[in-house]
Amino acid sequence: MPGAPSTASLIKDLNLEEHPEGGYYALTDSQGERVASPFSEGNQERPLATSIYYLLTRDRPAGLFHMNKSVTYHVLHHGRAEYTLITPGRPPTVARRVLGTDVRAGETRLLVVGTGVWKRSALLAADLAGDEEEEEHAQCLITEVVVPGFDWADHVYMDRAALEALFDGVDGGARLIEEFAAFVGASAPGAAA
C-alpha cells in the first residue's frame, strides 16, 4: 500500500506483538469503569470497553475463526482486509465484508460484529500480489473496540468439530468445511482480542 509505513516500523512504533489468532496486536485502552456483562456467565463484571490495534501483514496475513460474546467494532486506519462472518443457524449465514476505503465497491471503514458470530480476517489476495517494493506495505491496520470489554472467558476459537457441526447436512456445507478448515484451531488464552 503506497504511503503506508513499513510493517517493521508499525510493529515497533505501535509496540505490537504476535496475536494468537493471527496478525499482530497491542492493547490500546481498557476502561477503568466496570459493568456487568450480559454476555458472560453470571453477568460477571468486565471493563466498559477495551480496544486494540490489530495489524495483518504479508508474514501474518490471516486470522483464525473465533467468536467474542461481546459486540466488536472494527475501525479501519489503512489497508484492506476481508472479514468472513458466520452466523450460526439452520442453515448458517456466511457473509464476506471488506474493510477498505472504496465504498463504491462495497467496502466499509467500519464493521460491527454482533454477539454469537464467528469471524476471521485476511488480507486480500490482490493486495498480496504486489512486487517486492510493495511487499513491505501489504498490510491492514485497524482499531478493534470490544463492548463490554474483552475477557478470554468470553472468547472461543472454532475447532474442526464446531466447523463440521455448523455445516453438517447443509447444502454446499462440505465445500465450506473444506474452504474454512485451514482457519480453525484450539483455544489460546493469554492475549487480548
PDB file of all heavy atoms in Angstrom, residues 98-118:
ATOM      1  N   VAL A  98     -15.519  -6.408   3.223  1.00  0.00           N
ATOM      2  CA  VAL A  98     -14.165  -5.888   3.071  1.00  0.00           C
ATOM      3  C   VAL A  98     -14.061  -4.552   3.802  1.00  0.00           C
ATOM      4  O   VAL A  98     -14.827  -3.620   3.518  1.00  0.00           O
ATOM      5  CB  VAL A  98     -13.780  -5.718   1.587  1.00  0.00           C
ATOM      6  CG1 VAL A  98     -12.408  -5.050   1.460  1.00  0.00           C
ATOM      7  CG2 VAL A  98     -13.779  -7.081   0.889  1.00  0.00           C
ATOM      8  N   LEU A  99     -13.129  -4.492   4.759  1.00  0.00           N
ATOM      9  CA  LEU A  99     -12.762  -3.213   5.370  1.00  0.00           C
ATOM     10  C   LEU A  99     -11.820  -2.539   4.395  1.00  0.00           C
ATOM     11  O   LEU A  99     -10.776  -3.101   4.053  1.00  0.00           O
ATOM     12  CB  LEU A  99     -12.045  -3.431   6.709  1.00  0.00           C
ATOM     13  CG  LEU A  99     -12.892  -3.516   7.957  1.00  0.00           C
ATOM     14  CD1 LEU A  99     -12.021  -3.759   9.174  1.00  0.00           C
ATOM     15  CD2 LEU A  99     -13.733  -2.289   8.157  1.00  0.00           C
ATOM     16  N   GLY A 100     -12.186  -1.370   3.926  1.00  0.00           N
ATOM     17  CA  GLY A 100     -11.372  -0.646   2.963  1.00  0.00           C
ATOM     18  C   GLY A 100     -11.984   0.715   2.708  1.00  0.00           C
ATOM     19  O   GLY A 100     -13.014   1.069   3.290  1.00  0.00           O
ATOM     20  N   THR A 101     -11.371   1.458   1.811  1.00  0.00           N
ATOM     21  CA  THR A 101     -11.804   2.833   1.576  1.00  0.00           C
ATOM     22  C   THR A 101     -12.692   3.010   0.351  1.00  0.00           C
ATOM     23  O   THR A 101     -13.248   4.087   0.149  1.00  0.00           O
ATOM     24  CB  THR A 101     -10.573   3.759   1.427  1.00  0.00           C
ATOM     25  OG1 THR A 101      -9.782   3.292   0.333  1.00  0.00           O
ATOM     26  CG2 THR A 101      -9.746   3.776   2.705  1.00  0.00           C
ATOM     27  N   ASP A 102     -12.852   1.984  -0.473  1.00  0.00           N
ATOM     28  CA  ASP A 102     -13.619   2.109  -1.706  1.00  0.00           C
ATOM     29  C   ASP A 102     -15.089   1.770  -1.449  1.00  0.00           C
ATOM     30  O   ASP A 102     -15.555   0.667  -1.769  1.00  0.00           O
ATOM     31  CB  ASP A 102     -13.028   1.224  -2.802  1.00  0.00           C
ATOM     32  CG  ASP A 102     -13.622   1.492  -4.174  1.00  0.00           C
ATOM     33  OD1 ASP A 102     -14.609   2.269  -4.270  1.00  0.00           O
ATOM     34  OD2 ASP A 102     -13.101   0.935  -5.157  1.00  0.00           O
ATOM     35  N   VAL A 103     -15.828   2.736  -0.895  1.00  0.00           N
ATOM     36  CA  VAL A 103     -17.224   2.474  -0.539  1.00  0.00           C
ATOM     37  C   VAL A 103     -18.079   2.198  -1.771  1.00  0.00           C
ATOM     38  O   VAL A 103     -19.054   1.449  -1.689  1.00  0.00           O
ATOM     39  CB  VAL A 103     -17.824   3.617   0.309  1.00  0.00           C
ATOM     40  CG1 VAL A 103     -17.142   3.700   1.659  1.00  0.00           C
ATOM     41  CG2 VAL A 103     -17.752   4.946  -0.407  1.00  0.00           C
ATOM     42  N   ARG A 104     -17.720   2.763  -2.924  1.00  0.00           N
ATOM     43  CA  ARG A 104     -18.484   2.499  -4.155  1.00  0.00           C
ATOM     44  C   ARG A 104     -18.376   1.039  -4.583  1.00  0.00           C
ATOM     45  O   ARG A 104     -19.252   0.515  -5.259  1.00  0.00           O
ATOM     46  CB  ARG A 104     -18.022   3.419  -5.276  1.00  0.00           C
ATOM     47  CG  ARG A 104     -18.437   4.858  -5.031  1.00  0.00           C
ATOM     48  CD  ARG A 104     -18.059   5.749  -6.157  1.00  0.00           C
ATOM     49  NE  ARG A 104     -18.508   7.101  -5.862  1.00  0.00           N
ATOM     50  CZ  ARG A 104     -18.140   8.148  -6.535  1.00  0.00           C
ATOM     51  NH1 ARG A 104     -17.315   8.021  -7.556  1.00  0.00           N
ATOM     52  NH2 ARG A 104     -18.588   9.329  -6.202  1.00  0.00           N
ATOM     53  N   ALA A 105     -17.296   0.385  -4.178  1.00  0.00           N
ATOM     54  CA  ALA A 105     -17.117  -1.041  -4.487  1.00  0.00           C
ATOM     55  C   ALA A 105     -17.667  -1.926  -3.361  1.00  0.00           C
ATOM     56  O   ALA A 105     -17.467  -3.131  -3.373  1.00  0.00           O
ATOM     57  CB  ALA A 105     -15.635  -1.342  -4.712  1.00  0.00           C
ATOM     58  N   GLY A 106     -18.336  -1.312  -2.388  1.00  0.00           N
ATOM     59  CA  GLY A 106     -18.935  -2.080  -1.300  1.00  0.00           C
ATOM     60  C   GLY A 106     -18.055  -2.232  -0.077  1.00  0.00           C
ATOM     61  O   GLY A 106     -18.428  -2.917   0.878  1.00  0.00           O
ATOM     62  N   GLU A 107     -16.868  -1.621  -0.090  1.00  0.00           N
ATOM     63  CA  GLU A 107     -16.000  -1.681   1.092  1.00  0.00           C
ATOM     64  C   GLU A 107     -16.545  -0.750   2.175  1.00  0.00           C
ATOM     65  O   GLU A 107     -17.327   0.170   1.890  1.00  0.00           O
ATOM     66  CB  GLU A 107     -14.565  -1.281   0.717  1.00  0.00           C
ATOM     67  CG  GLU A 107     -13.946  -2.234  -0.277  1.00  0.00           C
ATOM     68  CD  GLU A 107     -12.548  -1.839  -0.725  1.00  0.00           C
ATOM     69  OE1 GLU A 107     -12.014  -0.810  -0.255  1.00  0.00           O
ATOM     70  OE2 GLU A 107     -11.982  -2.565  -1.558  1.00  0.00           O
ATOM     71  N   THR A 108     -16.148  -0.988   3.408  1.00  0.00           N
ATOM     72  CA  THR A 108     -16.606  -0.184   4.529  1.00  0.00           C
ATOM     73  C   THR A 108     -15.428   0.168   5.427  1.00  0.00           C
ATOM     74  O   THR A 108     -14.471  -0.601   5.524  1.00  0.00           O
ATOM     75  CB  THR A 108     -17.701  -0.922   5.333  1.00  0.00           C
ATOM     76  OG1 THR A 108     -18.180  -0.069   6.374  1.00  0.00           O
ATOM     77  CG2 THR A 108     -17.181  -2.218   5.952  1.00  0.00           C
ATOM     78  N   ARG A 109     -15.493   1.315   6.067  1.00  0.00           N
ATOM     79  CA  ARG A 109     -14.450   1.732   7.013  1.00  0.00           C
ATOM     80  C   ARG A 109     -14.774   1.286   8.443  1.00  0.00           C
ATOM     81  O   ARG A 109     -13.932   1.364   9.319  1.00  0.00           O
ATOM     82  CB  ARG A 109     -14.280   3.247   6.987  1.00  0.00           C
ATOM     83  CG  ARG A 109     -13.698   3.777   5.700  1.00  0.00           C
ATOM     84  CD  ARG A 109     -13.680   5.298   5.709  1.00  0.00           C
ATOM     85  NE  ARG A 109     -13.141   5.829   4.487  1.00  0.00           N
ATOM     86  CZ  ARG A 109     -11.859   6.144   4.309  1.00  0.00           C
ATOM     87  NH1 ARG A 109     -10.996   5.969   5.273  1.00  0.00           N
ATOM     88  NH2 ARG A 109     -11.457   6.633   3.158  1.00  0.00           N
ATOM     89  N   LEU A 110     -16.015   0.856   8.667  1.00  0.00           N
ATOM     90  CA  LEU A 110     -16.467   0.413   9.980  1.00  0.00           C
ATOM     91  C   LEU A 110     -17.252  -0.877   9.816  1.00  0.00           C
ATOM     92  O   LEU A 110     -18.190  -0.945   9.028  1.00  0.00           O
ATOM     93  CB  LEU A 110     -17.359   1.474  10.634  1.00  0.00           C
ATOM     94  CG  LEU A 110     -18.058   1.060  11.934  1.00  0.00           C
ATOM     95  CD1 LEU A 110     -17.038   0.832  13.052  1.00  0.00           C
ATOM     96  CD2 LEU A 110     -19.079   2.114  12.350  1.00  0.00           C
ATOM     97  N   LEU A 111     -16.868  -1.879  10.586  1.00  0.00           N
ATOM     98  CA  LEU A 111     -17.568  -3.159  10.581  1.00  0.00           C
ATOM     99  C   LEU A 111     -17.942  -3.489  12.017  1.00  0.00           C
ATOM    100  O   LEU A 111     -17.069  -3.544  12.895  1.00  0.00           O
ATOM    101  CB  LEU A 111     -16.678  -4.265   9.999  1.00  0.00           C
ATOM    102  CG  LEU A 111     -17.246  -5.678  10.030  1.00  0.00           C
ATOM    103  CD1 LEU A 111     -18.489  -5.782   9.142  1.00  0.00           C
ATOM    104  CD2 LEU A 111     -16.190  -6.686   9.597  1.00  0.00           C
ATOM    105  N   VAL A 112     -19.222  -3.682  12.260  1.00  0.00           N
ATOM    106  CA  VAL A 112     -19.703  -4.055  13.582  1.00  0.00           C
ATOM    107  C   VAL A 112     -20.078  -5.530  13.539  1.00  0.00           C
ATOM    108  O   VAL A 112     -20.878  -5.950  12.696  1.00  0.00           O
ATOM    109  CB  VAL A 112     -20.923  -3.207  14.008  1.00  0.00           C
ATOM    110  CG1 VAL A 112     -21.394  -3.610  15.401  1.00  0.00           C
ATOM    111  CG2 VAL A 112     -20.587  -1.718  13.960  1.00  0.00           C
ATOM    112  N   VAL A 113     -19.484  -6.312  14.437  1.00  0.00           N
ATOM    113  CA  VAL A 113     -19.788  -7.741  14.531  1.00  0.00           C
ATOM    114  C   VAL A 113     -20.481  -7.966  15.867  1.00  0.00           C
ATOM    115  O   VAL A 113     -19.910  -7.704  16.931  1.00  0.00           O
ATOM    116  CB  VAL A 113     -18.518  -8.603  14.407  1.00  0.00           C
ATOM    117  CG1 VAL A 113     -18.866 -10.089  14.562  1.00  0.00           C
ATOM    118  CG2 VAL A 113     -17.831  -8.353  13.077  1.00  0.00           C
ATOM    119  N   GLY A 114     -21.710  -8.439  15.790  1.00  0.00           N
ATOM    120  CA  GLY A 114     -22.503  -8.666  16.993  1.00  0.00           C
ATOM    121  C   GLY A 114     -22.087  -9.911  17.752  1.00  0.00           C
ATOM    122  O   GLY A 114     -21.140 -10.613  17.386  1.00  0.00           O
ATOM    123  N   THR A 115     -22.822 -10.206  18.776  1.00  0.00           N
ATOM    124  CA  THR A 115     -22.529 -11.365  19.613  1.00  0.00           C
ATOM    125  C   THR A 115     -22.906 -12.647  18.882  1.00  0.00           C
ATOM    126  O   THR A 115     -23.770 -12.654  18.014  1.00  0.00           O
ATOM    127  CB  THR A 115     -23.324 -11.281  20.936  1.00  0.00           C
ATOM    128  OG1 THR A 115     -24.716 -11.342  20.631  1.00  0.00           O
ATOM    129  CG2 THR A 115     -23.030 -10.001  21.669  1.00  0.00           C
ATOM    130  N   GLY A 116     -22.218 -13.720  19.214  1.00  0.00           N
ATOM    131  CA  GLY A 116     -22.561 -15.025  18.671  1.00  0.00           C
ATOM    132  C   GLY A 116     -22.233 -15.225  17.204  1.00  0.00           C
ATOM    133  O   GLY A 116     -22.808 -16.104  16.563  1.00  0.00           O
ATOM    134  N   VAL A 117     -21.309 -14.442  16.654  1.00  0.00           N
ATOM    135  CA  VAL A 117     -20.933 -14.558  15.254  1.00  0.00           C
ATOM    136  C   VAL A 117     -19.476 -15.006  15.159  1.00  0.00           C
ATOM    137  O   VAL A 117     -18.602 -14.421  15.797  1.00  0.00           O
ATOM    138  CB  VAL A 117     -21.111 -13.204  14.515  1.00  0.00           C
ATOM    139  CG1 VAL A 117     -20.622 -13.298  13.076  1.00  0.00           C
ATOM    140  CG2 VAL A 117     -22.564 -12.745  14.575  1.00  0.00           C
ATOM    141  N   TRP A 118     -19.220 -16.048  14.386  1.00  0.00           N
ATOM    142  CA  TRP A 118     -17.846 -16.465  14.117  1.00  0.00           C
ATOM    143  C   TRP A 118     -17.244 -15.491  13.107  1.00  0.00           C
ATOM    144  O   TRP A 118     -17.917 -15.089  12.155  1.00  0.00           O
ATOM    145  CB  TRP A 118     -17.804 -17.869  13.523  1.00  0.00           C
ATOM    146  CG  TRP A 118     -18.266 -18.947  14.460  1.00  0.00           C
ATOM    147  CD1 TRP A 118     -19.479 -19.578  14.440  1.00  0.00           C
ATOM    148  CD2 TRP A 118     -17.531 -19.506  15.535  1.00  0.00           C
ATOM    149  NE1 TRP A 118     -19.534 -20.504  15.450  1.00  0.00           N
ATOM    150  CE2 TRP A 118     -18.346 -20.480  16.144  1.00  0.00           C
ATOM    151  CE3 TRP A 118     -16.256 -19.284  16.051  1.00  0.00           C
ATOM    152  CZ2 TRP A 118     -17.943 -21.237  17.230  1.00  0.00           C
ATOM    153  CZ3 TRP A 118     -15.840 -20.036  17.141  1.00  0.00           C
ATOM    154  CH2 TRP A 118     -16.672 -20.992  17.720  1.00  0.00           C
TER     155      TRP A 118
END
